[in-house]
Amino acid sequence: MAGGTRSLRQDALFEMKVRIFVPALLLFLSVCWAQFARAQAAPSGRGGRTITLTAGGMGSAFQPDYKGGGVPSASPNFLVGLGGYADVQFSRWFGAEAEARWQRFNQYADIHQDNYLIGYRLPLQQARFWNFTPYAKVLVGYGKMTFEYNDAHGSFTDVAIGGGLDMPTSGRWVIRPVDFEVQQWPNWLGTTLHPWGFSAGIGYRIF
């Protein structure tokens, strides 16, 4: 990969993404707080909204779609990592999810990726079976990538489409046996990278 010039350019791009992502995250938290306050203030006899917040951790295995050379290509290794997520459900049709994933294990040629995403989440209550509730999601944020042999790194726009299953328990725990995600990094070195993978985890319903 290129040397210092590309690294400086990627650092500048990373700073720009942070400047976009942090205000978006703050806006997301502000909306969550406003919706929660409205729900708490609404009289129960008038059918006020019931908002839920669930936060948890997950393990992931992702195909990074890169094995070196500066072009998209399936890696011989799936990246394995850990992450966290938070789901807020405002109503039956309006929910949001934020997630962060750090994929640092099982690297090929020192290549690894991280994801920081936020967006819309829709539980498919009408498709519920047994005790599983399917959901769909569309998230946007940025992916951070370290190239082969730590020669360069950068951050890139990341759009993710996916879904999965949640299984509430009799208590506050929510088991997430599977979550599938297909990502697009549309501004990756003048082309588009397509990482994809699976996650599984467990969350705790805070309220």
Side-chain angles (χ1 to χ4, degrees):
M1 299 301 300
T5 301
R6 172 170 289 179
S7 180
L8 289 174
R9 185 168 64 250
Q10 299 297 353
D11 287 341
L13 181 61
F14 175 72
E15 291 177 5
M16 182 184 70
K17 298 298 182 184
V18 170
R19 291 173 184 171
I20 295 173
F21 182 77
V22 170
L25 179 59
L26 293 176
L27 178 61
F28 169 74
L29 294 174
S30 298
V31 171
C32 292
W33 178 255
Q35 292 287 345
F36 175 68
R38 285 180 59 190
Q40 293 297 98
S44 58
R46 297 184 181 180
R49 296 179 181 176
T50 301
I51 296 179
T52 63
L53 170 62
T54 302
M58 59 185 174
S60 301
F62 263 67
Q63 166 57 250
D65 193 29
Y66 185 68
K67 63 179 180 181
V71 295
S73 182
S75 171
N77 291 5
F78 270 67
L79 285 172
V80 177
L82 300 174
Y85 69 91
D87 293 335
V88 182
Q89 196 65 35
F90 301 111
S91 67
R92 179 178 179 181
W93 302 109
F94 180 49
E97 177 164 313
E99 67 177 37
R101 185 181 292 108
W102 300 275
Q103 301 171 116
R104 303 299 179 87
F105 306 108
N106 200 39
Q107 299 176 16
Y108 175 77
D110 298 325
I111 297 166
H112 56 270
Q113 298 172 344
D114 302 331
N115 310 132
Y116 303 90
L117 303 169
I118 190 170
Y120 178 68
R121 178 181 181 274
L122 174 65
L124 304 174
Q125 298 286 352
Q126 68 276 14
R128 186 171 182 173
F129 62 98
W130 294 327
N131 199 32
F132 295 100
T133 300
Y135 63 86
K137 62 181 181 178
V138 179
L139 309 177
V140 64
Y142 69 90
K144 187 177 179 182
M145 182 169 177
T146 297
F147 291 83
E148 57 266 35
Y149 310 114
N150 295 299
D151 190 47
H153 62 87
S155 62
F156 307 89
T157 301
D158 187 353
V159 179
I161 299 174
L165 298 172
D166 278 342
M167 186 181 72
T169 66
S170 57
R172 289 181 173 266
W173 295 101
V174 179
I175 299 172
R176 179 166 290 184
V178 62
D179 178 283
F180 177 69
E181 218 170 79
V182 177
Q183 300 180 0
Q184 290 190 25
W185 297 22
N187 299 317
W188 187 86
L189 304 185
T191 184
T192 301
L193 199 69
H194 294 91
W196 60 272
F198 296 89
S199 301
I202 187 170
Y204 183 80
R205 184 170 59 83
I206 299 172
F207 57 77

